[in-house]
Amino acid sequence: MKTLQFREAIQQAMSEEMRKDDSIYLMGEEVAEYNGAYKASKGMLDEFGPERVIDTPISELGFSGIGVGSAMIGNRPIIEFMTFNFALVGIDQIINNAAKIRQMSAGQFPCPIVFRGPTASAGQLAATHSQAFESWYANCPGLKVVVPSNPADAKGLLKSAIRDDDPVIFMESEQMYGDKGEVPEGEFTIPIGVADIKREGTDVTIVSFGKIIKEAYKAADELQKEGISCEIIDLRTVRPMDYDAILNSVKKTNRLVVLEEAWPFGNVATEITYQVQDKAFDYLDAPIVKINTADTPAPYSPVLLAEWLPNHEDVIKAVKKVLYK
C-alpha cells in the first residue's frame, strides 16, 4: 500500500491505462500545459505528448462532441470538465449522443468514454458552481455514474471506467483532491456497481457516497460513544446501484438513514427509499430518513452555506429519530 492524494490516484489511474492502450487520450480545459486545474494530470503532457493530452478552448459542447465522435470510431477518450456545472453546456452530447448511440445504431457504435470532474459544492462558489448532478445523470439509461469518496476507490474505479465499453460519468470533488489515503500498488481495479461497507454496525444503516460521507463517519464516532452502532455503506457507484448491499444491511439493522448532498426532490436517496420500502418493508422498525441540502440554490454566504449543507449533527439527529431516542 502507498499513501497518495486523491489527485495522485486519479493521475495514476489515467496514466497506467494510457500506457497500455494508445487509443486512450485525455481532453479538457487546462489538462495539459497547466497539469490540470486541480493538478490531477500532472506530468501527463510530458509523458504522452500533446496528441494524447489535449488542452481545449472553453467549449464544453465542442470537446464533448469530439470525444463522443472519436469513441464511436475506436478511441477511448477521457473528457475532463473543470466542474460538472460547466458540463451543462455540453449535456446534449452526453444525454442525446453518448448515452443513446449504442441503442440508436443497433449496437453498431459503442461509446467507451469517461466524462470526469468535480460535482457538488466546494465552499463559497455560489449557486451556479455548487450543484450536485449525480441523480441527473443516473436518471438517464445508458450512463453509468461513479462517485468515489477516497483515493483507493478513485483509482480502482477510474481504471474500470476507462476500460468500460459504455459511457461513464465519473464524479469527484474539489474538496477531496488533497485527501490522502492508502492505495494498493500494482494492478488494481474495483468493479463498477459494487458498494462497500466502510464501517460495520448493528443498530442503524447509513448509506452515502462522495465527499459528504465524511459527515457520516463523524456522526458514527460520536454515536459510538453513546453505545449506538452505525453501519456505513459507501455506494461508490450510483448507477448501477448495489441494491443488495443496502437491503442486506437493512435486514440486519432494521433502520435506514440516507445522506446525500443534493436537493431533496427526486434524488438518489429517493430511489433508495423506494427500493427498500418495496423489497424490505417488513424488516423496517422505523420510517426511513433521508438527509439532503436545503431546497434552494446554494447560497454564497458562509453562514447560510453551513445551514444549507447536511452535516454530522443532522446525521446524529436522524439516527436518533429512527431509534426513537
Side-chain angles (χ1 to χ4, degrees):
M1 303 286 276
K2 187 175 182 180
T3 300
L4 297 178
Q5 289 187 335
F6 194 103
R7 59 169 59 87
E8 293 172 322
I10 294 291
Q11 190 270 356
Q12 278 195 8
M14 294 190 293
S15 295
E16 288 174 12
E17 294 304 302
M18 287 175 69
R19 291 180 193 122
K20 290 187 286 190
D21 186 345
D22 290 341
S23 72
I24 302 169
Y25 67 89
L26 173 65
M27 175 183 283
E29 296 157 4
E30 298 185 350
V31 299
E33 296 288 347
Y34 193 65
N35 287 311
Y38 313 106
K39 301 300 180 276
S41 53
K42 186 175 181 179
M44 292 180 65
L45 174 63
D46 292 338
E47 179 174 356
F48 299 105
E51 291 187 355
R52 296 184 65 198
V53 181
I54 306 167
D55 276 334
T56 68
I58 302 174
S59 179
E60 286 79 9
L61 178 63
F63 63 78
S64 296
I66 290 170
V68 172
S70 71
M72 291 169 60
I73 58 170
N75 292 296
R76 307 185 80 89
I78 305 166
I79 303 300
E80 178 179 317
F81 297 119
M82 197 175 293
T83 160
F84 266 95
N85 294 282
F86 300 159
L88 291 176
V89 183
I91 200 169
D92 178 60
Q93 291 294 336
I94 300 171
I95 300 298
N96 280 332
N97 292 330
K100 296 178 175 62
I101 194 62
R102 180 187 288 275
Q103 184 200 50
M104 291 175 66
S105 68
Q108 295 179 83
F109 288 111
C111 193
I113 185 171
V114 176
F115 297 98
R116 52 159 292 267
T119 183
S121 67
Q124 289 179 262
L125 299 181
T128 60
H129 288 191
S130 301
Q131 301 167 110
F133 293 100
E134 296 90 339
S135 61
W136 292 40
Y137 290 107
N139 185 254
C140 180
L143 298 177
K144 297 176 181 178
V145 181
V146 178
V147 195
S149 67
N150 60 76
D153 287 352
K155 181 175 180 181
L157 285 163
L158 183 52
K159 287 170 72 73
S160 293
I162 294 168
R163 297 179 189 184
D164 201 285
D165 288 330
D166 290 307
V168 179
I169 307 295
F170 194 92
M171 295 181 149
E172 305 154 15
S173 168
E174 291 104 319
Q175 292 181 323
M176 288 198 299
Y177 286 119
D179 288 359
K180 294 181 179 180
E182 291 189 335
V183 179
E185 296 189 72
E187 181 58 25
F188 165 63
T189 61
I190 295 172
I192 292 173
V194 179
D196 189 31
I197 299 175
K198 298 297 189 187
R199 179 172 180 153
E200 294 193 357
T202 56
D203 294 328
V204 60
T205 299
I206 303 173
V207 176
S208 191
F209 58 91
K211 78 171 191 294
I212 201 68
I213 199 171
K214 296 176 185 179
E215 300 301 316
Y217 298 144
K218 292 178 189 175
D221 288 340
E222 290 296 316
L223 290 163
Q224 188 67 48
K225 297 173 185 175
E226 301 180 36
I228 298 171
S229 174
C230 300
E231 180 146 297
I232 300 177
I233 295 178
D234 186 345
L235 287 180
R236 303 196 294 194
T237 303
V238 170
R239 184 160 186 175
M241 190 179 293
D242 190 352
Y243 294 117
D244 287 342
I246 301 168
L247 293 169
N248 290 336
S249 180
V250 169
K251 289 175 181 179
K252 178 176 72 171
T253 67
N254 310 117
R255 293 170 172 86
L256 175 62
V257 171
V258 187
L259 171 64
E260 177 189 6
E261 183 183 339
W263 292 315
F265 187 92
N267 53 30
V268 174
T270 305
E271 168 66 11
I272 293 170
T273 299
Y274 171 78
Q275 293 293 336
V276 171
Q277 67 81 32
D278 182 53
K279 297 180 173 63
F281 182 80
D282 290 338
Y283 290 90
L284 290 169
D285 287 342
I288 299 165
V289 174
K290 67 188 190 84
I291 308 167
N292 299 121
T293 67
D295 196 15
T296 69
Y300 176 74
S301 158
V303 176
L304 293 177
L305 182 63
E307 288 296 315
W308 183 83
L309 278 168
N311 59 49
H312 72 282
E313 293 178 353
D314 297 326
V315 179
I316 291 171
K317 290 176 185 175
V319 168
K320 290 185 176 181
K321 181 176 180 180
V322 299
L323 288 167
Y324 302 109
K325 293 192 177 209

